[in-house]
Amino acid sequence: MSVAKRLGWALLLAPLAACATVAPSPAPVADPPAGMQYLYGSGEGAAISAQAWNGLLTYVSAKIKSRPTDSVVLADGASLAAPRFVPCGDKPFAAVFDVDETVMLNIGYEYHDAKTGRGFDAAAWDAWEKTGEGAVGPVPGADRGVAALRGLGVTVIFNTNRSAANADATVRAIKAAGLGDAVHGRTLYLSGDDSMGSRKDGRRATIAAQYCVIAMGGDQLGDFSDLFNSAQPVSARRAATLQPPVAGLWGHGWFVMPNPVYGSGLKGGFDDIFPMDKRWAPPAGEAGR
Amino acid sequence: MSVAKRLGWALLLAPLAACATVAPSPAPVADPPAGMQYLYGSGEGAAISAQAWNGLLTYVSAKIKSRPTDSVVLADGASLAAPRFVPCGDKPFAAVFDVDETVMLNIGYEYHDAKTGRGFDAAAWDAWEKTGEGAVGPVPGADRGVAALRGLGVTVIFNTNRSAANADATVRAIKAAGLGDAVHGRTLYLSGDDSMGSRKDGRRATIAAQYCVIAMGGDQLGDFSDLFNSAQPVSARRAATLQPPVAGLWGHGWFVMPNPVYGSGLKGGFDDIFPMDKRWAPPAGEAGR
C-alpha cells in the first residue's frame, strides 16, 4: 500500500469533515463506513472474494496442464489497446499478488481509522506496517488459495507497496495472516526495491524475467499494469478495463479482489460517475418525494 | 429490489444526517458516496463485474457439455450446512439472475438518491421502476453474458424483487439495458408473484421445477437462498458463506456481483465488523497521530 493508494479516504470522510466545522472534536462514529461493513463484515463481500479465489484455482489448475506461451505480465512497451506479454519460455510457474486487501485484510488498521474518524494518516500506516501483525486476517479464500497454488508447484510472489524499510514486519504479517513464508527479494517485492516508487511495472518485469507468471491478483488496477493509471478521466479509466482484449483477462489470468474502502477505485465527482444521459428525477407528480 | 434490500442506505448517509441538525436543508453533496464511485464509476468495479461474467460463461460452457445431475437451486428442506439440490432430470437448461445491480445498473436512481441526499425512499423507487428505463445500463459484462448464454441454448430467467404491478415497465427497462426480452411468468419473476414477499425461495422452486438451473447470479445472498437471511448475527451470516460445501459454490454455480451501495451487505456496528482480537491502535510513541 502507498499513500497514493489511500487517497479515496478523503472523499469517504468528507461528510464528517464538514461536521467538524461545528464540533471541534470528531463526531462519535455510530457504525463503520458502508465500504468496511461490506468488505470486512458481510457475507456478500466474503462470497465475492471466495469466488475470485475459486476461479483463480480452477484457471491455474487448467493452465499448468499445457504450458502457456506467454506470461500474463505485459511486456515493456505494450499498450492496453494492443497488449503483448512477456514470453514464458521454460521458466518455472509463478502467481503474483498484491498484499493489502488482496491476500490480507488490514482489520486492525481499518478499525483504528474508522473509530478515530481521522482519515488516512501516513505515520499511523507506517506504525501499522511495523506492528500490525496481530490484527490482520486473510482475504476470504486467500489462505487456502495460496497454499493450493504452492501445492500445484506454483511459486507465490507478493508485490506490494508496503515499504522495503519494513520488510521483516511485513514478512511476519503475511505469516500471521495464514499466507505462509515470504522472502524479501525472492517472493516479496516492496516499494523502495527500485526507483519507481509505487509503480509496480518494474518489479513485475523483474519477476517475469525469472518466472512464467500464469496469474496475477490485486484490488487496484495498478496491481496489473501501471498503464491504467495513465487513463484519464475516471470514465476513460473504467472504459479501459472493458475494452477488448483487456476485458477478456478478468478472471482469465488477471483476478480482481473487492475494495470499496480505499484506493484508486474511489474517485470522481457526479459528472465522472453519472453520465449526463443517465440522470433521472421522479416525474412531476412524484416531485418533492 | 425491495425496501428491505435498501436498508444499508441509512447508515451510509448517517454523517450527512448529523450535519442536518445544523443546516435545515440537506448539505450540498460534493461527491457521490464511495460505494457509488466504486460500483458505477471505477475500473476496479467494472473489472470485478466483468470477471464474474467471464467466469460464469466459462463455467456454463463446460457444464452444458455433460449434463449435471443436480441444479444449483437448493431443494426444499435443505440446509446450508448440508445442502441438497433440485435434480435436473432431462429438463432444459436455465440460468437465473437477480436484476438490480446484478444485470442492470440503476444509474439514474442512484444519481437522484445521491444528489438529493435523502436516502432510500420507497415512493421514489416505485416511480423509478415505472419510469427509469431511459437511465439504466448493463452491469459490465452482463449484456454480452446473457446474450452468450442464450446462444448456448440456456434460458435466461430474471428473479427480482421489483413489483409485479410494474412488470411491463421492468420488461422495458431490461430491454433498454441491453439484456433482451423478458416475459412475466416465463422468464421474469417478480415480488407479488407468490405470497412470500421478498423471499425468493418459492420462485426459485417454481423455476427449478421446469428447468435444470446450472447457474445463479446475484448481488445479495438472498439471491441464492433465503437461508442466509436467517443467519444472525452479521458474523454468522458471513461465516455461513465460507463454510464448506457452500464455500465451494462461489464462482462454481453461484456467481456474486459487487454491491457496496445498498442491501444486506451493509449492516453491522463496530462489534460486528471488527472482532475484539483484531483491533489495533498505534503504539504509545505514535499516539495522537
Side-chain angles (χ1 to χ4, degrees), chain A residues 19 37 44 51 256 264 268, chain B residues 19 37 44 51 136 256 264 268:
Chain A
C19 291
Q37 292 175 316
E44 283 80 358
Q51 169 170 292
V256 194
S264 53
Chain B
C19 291
Q37 293 175 315
E44 283 79 359
Q51 170 170 291
V136 297
V256 195
S264 53

Side-chain angles (χ1 to χ4, degrees), chain A residues 57 64 144-156:
Chain A
L57 287 175
I64 60 177
R144 193 182 61 87
V146 299
L149 287 172
R150 292 183 183 118
L152 291 168
V154 176
T155 299
V156 172

Side-chain angles (χ1 to χ4, degrees), chain A residues 235-255:
Chain A
S235 59
R237 192 168 172 278
R238 181 170 171 100
T241 67
L242 297 177
Q243 162 188 277
V246 163
L249 287 168
W250 308 114
H252 293 158
W254 291 3
F255 294 84

